[in-house]
Amino acid sequence: MSEFFGSLWWLLVALGVLVTFHEFGHFWVARRCGVKVLRFSVGFGRALWSRRGKDGTEYVVAAIPLGGYVSMLDESRLDGREGDVPAAELDRAFNRQSVWKRIAIVAAGPLANLLLAVALLWAMLVIGRPDYAPVIGKAEGIAAQAGLQAGDRIRAVDGRDTPTWSEALMALSVAALDGKPVQVLVARGDGDEQARSLPLDRLPAGFDESRALQAIGLTARHELMPAVVGRIAEGTPAWGVLAEGDRITAVDAAPVSSFDQIAPLVNVLGERGGPGMVEVERDGERLALEMTPVWRAKPDGGKSWQLGFGNAAATLPAHDAVLRLNPIAAVPAAVRETGYQARQLFEMIGRAFSGRVSVQNTVSGPIAIAQAANAYASGGTAWFLNFLALLSVSLAILNLLPIPVLDGGHLLYYLIELAIGRPLGDRAMAFGQYLGLALIAGLTGLAFYNDILRLVS
């Protein structure tokens, strides 16, 4: 399946599941509050299949699989096609319910998404999500100043356990946005645990928020490229001496474990002058080959001491860690993770409004979501469940924002009704609806703009 069609397919699956479950929350609570549900539709547009239940509800599967909706008996929402609410059913109309019942029905949608997130995370933890160990491959800059070293295993960041690299990445990236010193608990190679204070207040202003770890100076062990020889430039010291596939193990007696270590060692050798020994592994044999660096131009226009070879194209290594819990332990863990993600989303919204983070990196549209859905799905069932859970939490939080036309806006109306003892007037409600539509249209436009900007850049 191509990336385009894969992204489109997984976007439809994700939105179809999450929005339908959201609407089912409204449907389920409305039924238990005595409200008559006229239609429960999975999807929008022309009905592909429909059936009327004994309860009088029409159940529909529609042509456009982008979620769903629930239509309830409501005097204030009739469009003229349903006619007046019969007197015998007035007590089953949504608008005739007590304010507390209306609050329960409206809040049930976001709550359903939060419960779904817990269930999805529980399933992910039981299945087991393949990942990488939270081991540092290289520490520079701020990270090195804090005493972090290659080989350190990150145990916790600011009190949050980091069993895999993904948790460490999330915790460090969020901490970088706040720009405050954070405590990092690491385990050294001998097993000794040490707490280090990472001075994130020293991060440069305007650093790329999407590359926070690079700004901190951390590189994961699994991201280090192996020191394997790729293309060799003709007429250079390596031409006719090295072969593609050779693994460099040392340069001038200095050990090499990753490709990024080679250039500095070659530069030292060139500054010293004279030949040096480059040790390699080839077909199971260890060889020591004599070479002398030359001063050559780099692709970026500068010059450096070089031997004349590039690195072999390499993919990420196999996962070396799994995030897995037994079914009992996974329950509280899933609840905690859902709460953590919800809190982080609220805080991210606050950072965006305060200007501490770029709106470009905060608001994403359907293109970015589709690409993420495809990427997570390609990682396997556990990763896609993880993605669905995060998206479900996002949908819940988005709907709780106090914007008219969203669930949060309706809840705001009902809270005002509780405070003043009567519903808001029609004029105030209409103004709020127009304002809400304008805000949603603006956010939608911003999301599409950010998606297109990402594609272009």
Side-chain angles (χ1 to χ4, degrees):
M1 187 181 295
S2 69
E3 183 177 353
F4 173 78
F5 288 107
S7 298
L8 179 61
W9 166 252
W10 290 115
L11 174 67
L12 295 178
V13 170
L15 294 183
V17 170
L18 300 183
V19 179
T20 299
F21 205 89
H22 176 96
E23 295 302 330
F24 179 77
H26 293 310
F27 168 81
W28 191 86
V29 174
R31 291 281 302 275
R32 273 137 194 84
C33 288
V35 175
K36 182 177 181 179
V37 178
L38 302 176
R39 175 180 288 186
F40 181 89
S41 177
V42 177
F44 300 98
R46 185 173 63 86
L48 300 178
W49 174 89
S50 66
R51 181 180 67 84
R52 189 169 298 278
K54 295 180 180 179
D55 54 7
T57 301
E58 182 186 13
Y59 297 91
V60 176
V61 176
I64 305 175
L66 291 176
Y69 65 92
V70 172
S71 176
M72 291 176 272
L73 192 66
D74 189 338
E75 293 171 291
S76 61
R77 294 176 61 187
L78 292 174
D79 56 9
R81 292 178 296 177
E82 301 289 345
D84 295 330
V85 176
E89 293 189 322
L90 283 175
D91 61 332
R92 300 185 65 189
F94 174 81
N95 63 294
R96 293 292 183 109
Q97 306 306 309
S98 70
V99 66
W100 288 111
K101 284 187 177 181
R102 281 178 278 145
I103 287 175
I105 293 170
V106 171
L111 180 60
N113 281 124
L114 292 176
L115 292 175
L116 176 61
V118 172
L120 292 168
L121 288 171
W122 177 86
M124 179 270 290
L125 290 169
V126 172
I127 293 173
R129 191 192 71 197
D131 211 319
Y132 293 101
V135 179
I136 298 172
K138 182 170 62 174
E140 303 172 306
I142 293 174
Q145 294 168 19
L148 298 178
Q149 302 175 4
D152 285 352
R153 178 181 289 265
I154 302 175
R155 295 290 192 189
V157 176
D158 201 23
R160 173 173 165 79
D161 290 340
T162 54
T164 70
W165 184 257
S166 294
E167 277 71 36
L169 172 63
M170 167 76 77
L172 288 169
S173 297
V174 169
L177 296 178
D178 291 328
K180 298 177 181 178
V182 65
Q183 291 294 314
V184 179
L185 180 66
V186 299
R188 292 290 160 87
D190 57 4
D192 180 38
E193 290 193 348
Q194 298 180 7
R196 298 291 181 183
S197 179
L198 193 58
L200 299 181
D201 52 336
R202 299 182 190 173
L203 283 171
F207 72 92
D208 186 350
E209 297 157 5
S210 64
R211 298 173 62 85
L213 251 61
Q214 286 83 346
I216 295 171
L218 284 176
T219 302
R221 180 180 64 184
H222 64 272
E223 293 177 343
L224 293 177
M225 299 173 63
V228 178
V229 176
R231 186 182 63 83
I232 302 172
E234 188 174 353
T236 63
W239 182 257
V241 180
L242 295 178
E244 288 191 28
D246 284 353
R247 180 179 292 273
I248 309 295
T249 58
V251 175
D252 203 28
V256 170
S257 59
S258 61
F259 196 88
D260 64 291
Q261 295 175 323
I262 297 175
L265 294 175
V266 170
N267 190 61
V268 171
L269 180 58
E271 294 288 347
R272 191 197 69 191
M277 303 303 295
V278 177
E279 300 175 34
V280 304
E281 285 186 4
R282 180 186 300 169
D283 299 328
E285 296 184 15
R286 298 183 68 89
L287 305 174
L289 307 172
E290 185 178 87
M291 282 180 279
T292 302
V294 293
W295 187 252
R296 296 182 72 236
K298 298 189 297 183
D300 61 7
K303 287 189 174 183
S304 65
W305 292 102
Q306 300 176 39
L307 294 176
F309 64 90
N311 62 293
T315 58
L316 287 173
H319 291 108
D320 56 1
V322 178
L323 181 62
R324 179 184 287 125
L325 295 174
N326 66 60
I328 303 300
V331 174
V335 173
R336 286 194 303 270
E337 184 63 18
T338 300
Y340 173 79
Q341 294 298 337
R343 186 171 66 254
Q344 288 301 320
L345 281 169
F346 273 119
E347 292 179 358
M348 191 63 70
I349 293 171
R351 294 185 186 101
F353 275 106
S354 65
R356 284 183 291 162
V357 297
S358 169
V359 176
Q360 180 182 342
N361 293 323
T362 306
V363 181
S364 296
I367 298 175
I369 295 173
Q371 291 174 330
N374 189 50
Y376 275 87
S378 65
T381 302
W383 274 106
F384 189 64
L385 290 174
N386 198 163
F387 170 75
L388 282 178
L390 298 180
L391 200 58
S392 191
V393 173
S394 300
L395 184 60
I397 301 307
L398 175 64
N399 271 280
L400 285 174
L401 294 177
I403 299 176
V405 311
L406 296 180
D407 292 334
H410 291 294
L411 291 175
L412 177 62
Y413 287 156
Y414 301 147
L415 292 176
I416 294 174
E417 182 178 340
L418 282 174
I420 66 177
R422 60 177 175 78
L424 283 173
D426 291 341
R427 180 173 295 181
M429 295 276 284
F431 174 77
Q433 295 294 324
Y434 286 125
L435 178 62
L437 287 172
L439 288 172
I440 294 300
L443 285 173
T444 302
L446 178 62
F448 274 105
Y449 173 79
N450 286 342
D451 279 356
I452 294 172
L453 193 63
R454 291 188 190 100
L455 288 176
V456 172
S457 61

